[in-house]
Amino acid sequence: DVVMTQSPLSLPVTLGQPASISCRCSQSLVYSDGNTYLNWFQQRPGQSPRRLIYKVSNRDSGVPDRFSGSGSGTDFTLKISRVEAEDVGVYYCMQGTHWPRTFGQGTKLEIK
Amino acid sequence: EVQLLESGGGSVQPGGSLRLSCAASGFMFSAFAMTWVRQAPGKGLEWVSTVTTGNDNTYYADSVKGRFTISRDNSKNTVYLQMNSLRAEDTAVYYCAKGMTTFDYWGQGTLVTVSS
């Protein structure tokens, strides 16, 4: 199974400051079709997960442009340029290249 | 508007069975794979199972293989998860999600509690 390792697991951030979450994978996520199926999800307290980013860097409709995804192969990053109060929650990376699908452990973002 | 509405959760004793349903609307259901993801209380997300468009391919996590069966009825825009031989460690909120390589829409989840 592909192991997805997120860091940090806890991320206290001051409002207006940037934040960054790393996701490292035990295998390359490049699929035979050339795509890299690395996704980022946000789960606010008490809510269902919501997709933010797909295929490494594609932002979903309605996701603020302060969120960005980058990376390749086995190393990926989610960045928030300026954290807002509504960004509080847990962030998960997930790979859709290999079976079984696997998620990172989650990174809990809180306001300092 | 895409909507996924799970139902069928509840409390069951170890060894028991439940069938979850997920009614989909707002998109061409038959054209998309569908997935179940679960979240144990206070824990992270765990992929459970995926079914491709025509029930022709199904995939399972090792933790549920042989006990859970995913299926879909494209005429009813519904995906199912039949859960047998339930264990305490299956206690979780079960989410239905659209997709296979990515999950662009999620339901609100249904809680399954396995306890004696």
Side-chain angles (χ1 to χ4, degrees):
Chain A
D1 297 4
V2 177
V3 177
M4 311 286 284
T5 303
Q6 287 183 228
S7 62
L9 299 184
S10 178
L11 185 54
V13 184
T14 300
L15 286 173
Q17 293 301 301
S20 180
I21 301 170
S22 168
C23 178
R24 292 205 163 115
C25 316
S26 60
Q27 296 178 40
S28 171
L29 298 188
V30 180
Y31 190 53
S32 54
D33 63 3
N35 288 309
T36 300
Y37 295 106
L38 186 283
N39 306 277
W40 289 97
F41 298 91
Q42 175 195 60
Q43 188 174 31
R44 290 170 170 152
Q47 295 188 13
S48 300
R50 164 201 184 196
R51 192 180 71 176
L52 297 176
I53 302 282
Y54 61 97
K55 287 195 284 186
V56 181
S57 59
N58 295 274
R59 200 168 41 246
D60 268 273
S61 174
V63 174
D65 61 8
R66 64 178 182 275
F67 288 91
S68 64
S70 63
S72 63
T74 60
D75 283 1
F76 304 92
T77 302
L78 176 70
K79 291 183 178 175
I80 309 173
S81 59
R82 294 172 308 279
V83 168
E84 298 190 5
E86 66 178 17
D87 301 336
V88 166
V90 181
Y91 292 80
Y92 297 92
C93 60
M94 172 242 151
Q95 64 84 17
T97 297
H98 303 282
W99 297 104
R101 303 313 193 209
T102 46
F103 289 87
Q105 317 97 299
T107 294
K108 186 172 185 178
L109 186 150
E110 61 179 27
I111 304 301
K112 212 186 284 186
Chain B
E1 179 194 4
V2 172
Q3 290 194 336
L4 300 172
L5 187 61
E6 302 96 334
S7 60
S11 293
V12 62
Q13 292 188 337
S17 298
L18 278 177
R19 187 175 87 151
L20 306 184
S21 300
C22 171
S25 61
F27 65 100
M28 189 176 294
F29 179 77
S30 60
F32 292 91
M34 296 297 293
T35 291
W36 289 94
V37 175
R38 69 184 180 183
Q39 186 170 37
K43 302 297 185 183
L45 301 172
E46 179 189 15
W47 171 80
V48 174
S49 183
T50 295
V51 59
T52 54
T53 54
N55 270 322
D56 37 336
N57 286 302
T58 57
Y59 303 86
Y60 298 95
D62 284 347
S63 57
V64 307
K65 201 172 293 183
R67 301 187 299 121
F68 290 13
T69 302
I70 192 171
S71 62
R72 63 191 295 160
D73 186 338
N74 288 339
S75 68
K76 295 182 178 178
N77 286 1
T78 301
V79 60
Y80 304 98
L81 188 67
Q82 177 66 45
M83 304 187 296
N84 298 331
S85 303
L86 283 161
R87 306 166 179 166
E89 54 265 35
D90 296 318
T91 294
V93 173
Y94 285 73
Y95 294 102
C96 167
K98 171 177 166 281
M100 183 166 67
T101 61
T102 186
F103 309 140
D104 53 353
Y105 291 94
W106 297 63
Q108 85 290 344
T110 187
L111 176 62
V112 171
T113 303
V114 184
S115 172
S116 54

